[in-house]
Amino acid sequence: MLHPSFLTLLFVAPLFATPASQPAMPDDRRMDWWRQARFGMFIHWGIYSVPAGEWKGKTVDGPSEWIMHTAQIPIAEYEPLAARFNPKHFDAAKIVGLARTAGMKYLVITSKHHDGFCMWDAKETEWDVFGASPFHRDVMREMSDECRKQGIRFGVYYSIMDWRHPDARGENFPKYAEYLRGQVTELIENYSPDILWFDGEWIEEWTPALGDDLYALCRELKPDIIVNNRVGKGRVGMGPSKTSAGDFGTPEQEIPARGIPGYDWETCMTFNDSWGYKTADHNWKSSERIIQMLADIASKGGNFLLNIGPTSDGEVPAESIERLEEVGEWMKVNGDSIYATGPSPFGRLSWGRCTTAPGVLYLHVFSTISPDSMLVVPGLRNEVLRAAPLEAPATVLPTSRQGDDLLVATGPYARSGADLVLRLEIAGAPDVIEVPPTTIRADGEGVLQLRADDATLIGDRVQTQIQGGQTDIGFWTSPEDFARWEVDAAGRYSVELDLACQPANAGGEAIIRVGGSECRITVPDTGSWTQFRTVKAGTISVQAPGPVLVVVAPGEGFTGALMNLREVRLIPER
Ligand code: FHN
């Protein structure tokens, strides 16, 4: 059984179809609150928080909730963890309150993960908080009640894959499928979740037909419930099906480069690298990165489900609290640019992202712009009625025109940092000229500078990201994805790349092709995804002067993610 991260998930828009037996519900109305919410909290909590990624004195690789599988722990050795699970500091009000503080409008909590342990008083098994642990509290009850009290929508995660249940594989699977349906029925009837978030659907015993039936069951029990596409086989790449039950797509640990136009989708992401609490995992994403990812996702029409992993004591890690509070401060001022917004009408914006509301464009400025420079809004034909920083709505910012582009003088509001949001009131619906990437010409020294922002990215995963105020090409997690520039070149050039790569992914090969010429590099370990280094890649020659394509693509030895690429330079050989 492979951890899904080993599977190549080519996330393409699956065809959602509600099976014929579904009651005809006005789906849009059912989905409206979810689409407007944009931001939710994922909670991975179970007895795996007891070892917290450590086993027999060693840190186990990978996410901590997979420890039973990754450390190959026999069930008899894993079961005693339940007796050690007694989270005396668990406080549903605090956790739900943290979601609210962060500006999150819904939460999804694990009721049963792959280890089969149930975080409620399950009818059909004693492998739960009442039967196998001293905790004897109904986590689903306390969390669902608290969500209703605080006005947060309540969602339940349920794993189809079950490592402990004796019938959850092989010829007895139909018996397990009945157990599963019984548990899902129990969860919906007892806690009335607004969302059912299935997972572990990749097992071969689980079929699209079983998914359709389970989706039908959920909608019959609660017609306005929202169910993710992992109820069936919709998470393409793990057993594609032509049509798949489910109401939204679920890209994981990634933001599809162009979103999934025409479909509801939600990116789920860890705060560090583990879904469950992991003692040794200190790779926390900054609040700046969270804010920029939230804006990026909303600018593509998606939702962001950001995970926390409470400890075996029931505490939320301080690092998560600190960052969620910072995100919440930003949301207090800028929430209008996220909630109930629509996707950007622009192609790629080099300085940030755009979200939309009726008669309004919200410009999310991630890049550092100097106070005396102008922000270029490419190809915007609309008349601009007013421009102001969202944080200072009374401050009108001067705008002007340069050809087809709108210029906004950001003045003292120019700054580097999480995300400065400008609010542009426009006349009519957005009307934007698609600006094709330009041919890059040499600078005064004859150097061709190919920046990440100017690349055309081909593929479903690769995309630009802004780290520390500079753009790089990242999420290069598919060997088919590549970056391309059109340049005006002639003669021989030495090639340099400014790149970053963490130790675990170093060693892959990158190919740089210029017209018919190419050179290759082995991507070095630069220390992390954010430590950039210049690497010399050799020389290429352009036979015929004039426009030519430069392509950077993965080569041999691809190790899950190629590199983060900030810039390619072609330096003329004298
Ligand atoms: O295997 C799980 C993993 O532990 C985690 O729950 C994620 C969250 O979406 N889902 C599966 C991996 O795709």
Side-chain angles (χ1 to χ4, degrees), residues 2-5 9 42 44 48 63 65-66 110 113-114 157 159 161 163 197-202 230 235 238 250-253 268-270 275-276 305 307:
L2 274 176
H3 184 278
S5 60
L9 295 182
F42 214 170
H44 275 69
Y48 41 78
E65 73 284 355
W66 268 71
T110 49
H113 204 263
H114 307 335
Y157 164 111
S159 175
M161 178 168 76
W163 293 328
W197 212 99
F198 289 101
D199 201 12
E201 82 292 350
W202 58 83
R230 300 185 189 182
R235 184 172 31 168
M238 290 184 179
T250 53
E252 177 172 316
Q253 303 285 43
C268 59
M269 209 169 265
T270 49
W275 300 95
L305 190 65
N307 183 74

